[in-house]
């Protein structure tokens, strides 16, 4: 049974899993204690629930639970990782390396450091969105504090060579942070086997609640120093002051537990739906271009440019399908997405890009409906497009 609207914007946020909502509810109604209050039963119960969630979260990435710091989301984790290490290691140097296609949380953290006198290298990417490992190696200097490269891109789905990048950083003796917000729960990830020092992720991108996330901080022989970016309390090992969001953290824990248990079957199911959608569209429409890497991409991501079609017009013509144009952040402004700019596709294809983000609750019927609608609307919008008419006349007018 088809229900409208159809939600295909799972890179922006996801529907909380009902199982997640269920475990959160008692922490609003009965167990509302402050997890840091050790003086009463309300506090003990809340504190125990937080520690249980910390175990669930750490299990998903195979870390130790003591390596997990709870935050208000990936944005805060990323700020803490980048600004916190920049502050703590300013005696060592003033140089940070990141990538042009990062999420704004990373890019803006770096911009704010630049205003304070830090130097930032923004690595470029190839047409698939991948960085060049030699360019990274050459960019690292004696003054480099941190390299920050996202695991998987939220617009075009490209998955970086994270293992190689982490190894390069390890060899060169610089810290490595990855924004894994889109990857956690969709890619099996074992931080105990990877040279990742810091990793940011968020509950609401994996069917958990909004407003809660985590920063993984590797706890090896070498203790990583981070200067807290909020003052006011001793929570989370003095790294993140403020009363813990207990219901959110409990929900995050459950979302991680579900993701771990169901990841294998979910990945293949979602990939099938995504591939069905892609094949259904390109078998019926010409001049459709895939943005991002053909294989090294998130299973739930499909970013397509429909030549001669304006992406806003296409979205408005099928409002019963919830989608995003190239970038959620720059929609509403005429600026094209910084990610599509970085992979250097032509100007008209940037304005024709639509991002389909699939998730746990999508089904085949929704995908079939979407294929049908996209084909119908693209055909219609092309029919009334002067540019399309001219191009096709140019082709068919040949004697
Ligand atoms: C959504 C997202 C963020 C921001 O996460 P919040 O939890 O909403 O702060 C950061 N990075 C990537 C790649 C994202 O997709």
């Amino acid at each position: 049974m088809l229900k409208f609207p159809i939600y295909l914007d799972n890179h922006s946020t996801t529907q909380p899993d009902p199982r997640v909502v269920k475990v959160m509810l008692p922490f609003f109604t009965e167990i509302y204690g402050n997890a840091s209050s050790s003086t009463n039963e309300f506090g003990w119960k809340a504190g125990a629930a937080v520690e249980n969630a910390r175990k669930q979260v750490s299990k998903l990435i195979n870390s130790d639970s003591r390596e997990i710091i709870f935050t208000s989301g990936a944005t805060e984790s990323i700020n803490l990782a980048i600004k916190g290490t920049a502050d703590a290691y300013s005696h060592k140097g003033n140089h940070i390396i990141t990538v042009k296609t990062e999420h704004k949380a990373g890019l803006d953290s770096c911009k704010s450091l630049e205003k304070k006198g830090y130097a930032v290298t923004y690595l470029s990417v190839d047409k698939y969105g991948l960085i060049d490992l030699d360019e990274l190696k050459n960019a690292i200097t004696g003054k480099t504090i941190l390299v920050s490269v996202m695991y998987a891109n939220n617009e075009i789905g490209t998955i970086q060579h994270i293992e190689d990048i982490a190894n390069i950083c390890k060899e060169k003796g610089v810290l490595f942070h990855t924004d894994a917000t889109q990857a956690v729960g969709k890619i099996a990830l074992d931080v105990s086997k990877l040279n990742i020092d810091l990793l940011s992720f968020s509950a609401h991108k994996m069917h958990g609640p909004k407003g809660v996330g985590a920063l993984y901080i590797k706890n090896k022989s070498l203790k990583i120093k981070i200067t807290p970016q909020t003052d006011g309390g001793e929570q989370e090992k003095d790294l993140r002051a403020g009363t813990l969001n207990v219901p959110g953290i409990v929900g995050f824990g459950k979302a991680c537990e579900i993701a771990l248990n169901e990841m294998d079957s979910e990945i293949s199911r979602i990939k099938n739906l995504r591939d069905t959608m892609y094949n259904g569209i390109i078998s019926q429409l010409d001049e459709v271009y895939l943005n991002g890497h053909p294989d090294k991409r998130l299973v739930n991501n499909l970013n397509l440019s429909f030549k001669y079609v304006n992406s806003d017009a296409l979205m408005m013509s099928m409002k019963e399908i919830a989608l995003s144009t190239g970038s959620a952040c720059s929609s509403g402004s005429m600026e094209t997405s910084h990610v599509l700019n970085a992979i250097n596709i032509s100007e008209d294809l940037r304005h024709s890009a639509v991002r389909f983000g699939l998730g746990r609750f999508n089904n085949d019927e929704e995908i079939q409906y979407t294929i049908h609608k996209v084909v119908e609307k693209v055909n219609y919008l092309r029919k009334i497009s002067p540019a399309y008419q001219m191009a096709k006349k140019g082709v068919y007018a040949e004697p």
Side-chain angles (χ1 to χ4, degrees):
M1 215 186 17
L2 211 45
K3 268 204 314 203
F4 294 106
I6 295 171
Y7 191 72
L8 285 177
D9 199 17
N10 285 279
H11 299 296
S12 295
T13 192
T14 59
Q15 179 190 334
D17 192 300
R19 293 168 288 182
V20 167
V21 177
K22 192 171 169 226
V23 298
M24 290 174 70
L25 290 175
F27 292 88
F28 291 105
T29 52
E30 293 150 42
I31 318 167
Y32 45 78
N34 186 323
S36 310
S37 298
S38 52
T39 52
N40 61 66
E41 188 174 333
F42 291 87
W44 300 330
K45 282 189 171 161
V50 166
E51 292 321 308
N52 181 51
R54 204 184 299 278
K55 288 201 186 95
Q56 293 169 313
V57 170
S58 61
K59 213 167 160 199
L60 179 57
I61 60 168
N62 201 23
S63 73
D64 189 291
S65 62
R66 286 164 298 189
E67 297 174 309
I68 297 293
I69 296 293
F70 286 120
T71 65
S72 65
T75 299
E76 188 189 343
S77 300
I78 294 163
N79 271 264
L80 183 56
I82 296 177
K83 296 176 186 170
T85 52
D87 275 353
Y89 291 90
S90 58
H91 60 277
K92 182 195 168 194
N94 69 339
H95 182 223
I96 312 277
I97 299 172
T98 188
V99 186
K100 285 180 182 161
T101 51
E102 293 291 301
H103 188 273
K104 288 279 186 242
L107 291 175
D108 288 351
S109 293
C110 288
K111 278 194 198 125
S112 130
L113 286 175
E114 279 180 302
K115 283 191 198 129
K116 288 187 177 170
Y118 287 84
V120 181
T121 300
Y122 298 91
L123 298 173
S124 51
V125 294
D126 65 12
K127 64 176 175 175
Y128 298 124
L130 290 172
I131 67 162
D132 182 312
L133 298 180
D134 287 325
E135 199 181 325
L136 168 64
K137 273 184 213 161
N138 293 333
I140 298 174
T141 73
K143 288 206 177 311
T144 308
I145 298 169
L146 177 79
V147 171
S148 183
V149 178
M150 74 199 312
Y151 207 115
N153 188 271
N154 50 302
E155 292 186 34
I156 56 174
T158 299
I159 301 167
Q160 297 288 349
H161 298 285
I162 286 298
E163 198 173 332
D164 298 332
I165 295 168
N167 291 343
I168 290 170
C169 293
K170 170 89 176 173
E171 261 167 49
K172 299 260 187 182
V174 300
L175 292 174
F176 176 54
H177 166 252
T178 186
D179 170 2
T181 313
Q182 293 288 341
V184 173
K186 289 173 208 89
I187 298 172
L189 222 160
D190 182 348
V191 290
S192 76
K193 293 210 177 81
L194 295 164
N195 286 317
I196 294 171
D197 297 303
L198 302 153
L199 181 142
S200 296
F201 57 118
S202 185
H204 77 99
K205 301 291 176 83
M206 43 183 286
H207 304 287
K210 289 164 190 62
V212 58
L215 177 62
Y216 155 81
I217 306 173
K218 198 184 265 314
N219 189 7
K220 273 253 182 90
S221 45
L222 183 90
K223 189 139 177 54
I224 298 168
K225 281 179 283 181
I226 296 184
T227 304
Q229 301 296 306
T230 41
D231 298 302
E234 291 165 358
Q235 293 90 350
E236 299 301 277
K237 295 196 213 151
D238 265 345
L239 279 173
R240 201 274 181 178
T243 304
L244 288 175
N245 171 5
V246 179
I249 289 168
V250 167
F252 189 14
K254 186 68 181 177
C256 289
E257 184 188 87
I258 296 169
L260 185 63
N261 290 339
E262 300 179 2
M263 188 162 3
D264 290 345
S265 60
E266 184 161 294
I267 287 174
S268 66
R269 196 182 70 85
I270 292 177
K271 183 173 185 301
N272 271 333
L273 291 176
R274 194 270 316 271
D275 292 345
T276 299
M277 185 145 102
Y278 181 50
N279 293 327
I281 289 172
I282 60 165
S283 65
Q284 298 178 71
L285 290 172
D286 59 2
E287 301 214 58
V288 179
Y289 300 91
L290 179 72
N291 299 314
H293 199 283
D295 320 307
K296 281 191 65 72
R297 71 185 299 121
L298 290 168
V299 293
N300 65 332
N301 176 279
L302 188 60
N303 190 312
L304 298 176
S305 284
F306 299 93
K307 198 168 180 190
Y308 309 111
V309 173
N310 177 283
S311 51
D312 285 322
L314 179 58
M315 274 200 322
M316 292 311 267
S317 74
M318 33 184 218
K319 287 199 186 114
E320 73 278 28
I321 306 171
L323 290 172
S324 248
T325 49
S327 161
C329 309
S330 52
S331 57
S333 77
M334 283 306 285
E335 249 176 72
T336 53
S337 126
H338 68 285
V339 176
L340 298 178
N341 295 351
I343 60 171
N344 211 13
I345 60 174
S346 68
E347 172 88 27
D348 61 330
L349 290 184
R350 287 176 215 175
H351 289 287
S352 310
V354 175
R355 180 183 72 180
F356 302 90
L358 284 69
R360 179 175 298 161
F361 300 109
N362 289 125
N363 58 42
D364 190 57
E365 240 182 323
E366 293 176 329
I367 299 306
Q368 294 303 336
Y369 179 89
T370 303
I371 295 169
H372 171 79
K373 268 294 148 181
V374 167
V375 170
E376 178 189 317
K377 296 301 177 186
V378 168
N379 276 331
Y380 171 72
L381 290 167
R382 282 179 175 174
K383 210 152 97 189
I384 60 169
S385 150
Y388 183 74
Q389 294 306 327
M390 285 236 291
K392 289 303 160 186
K393 257 193 210 121
V395 172
Y396 299 123
E398 303 262 332

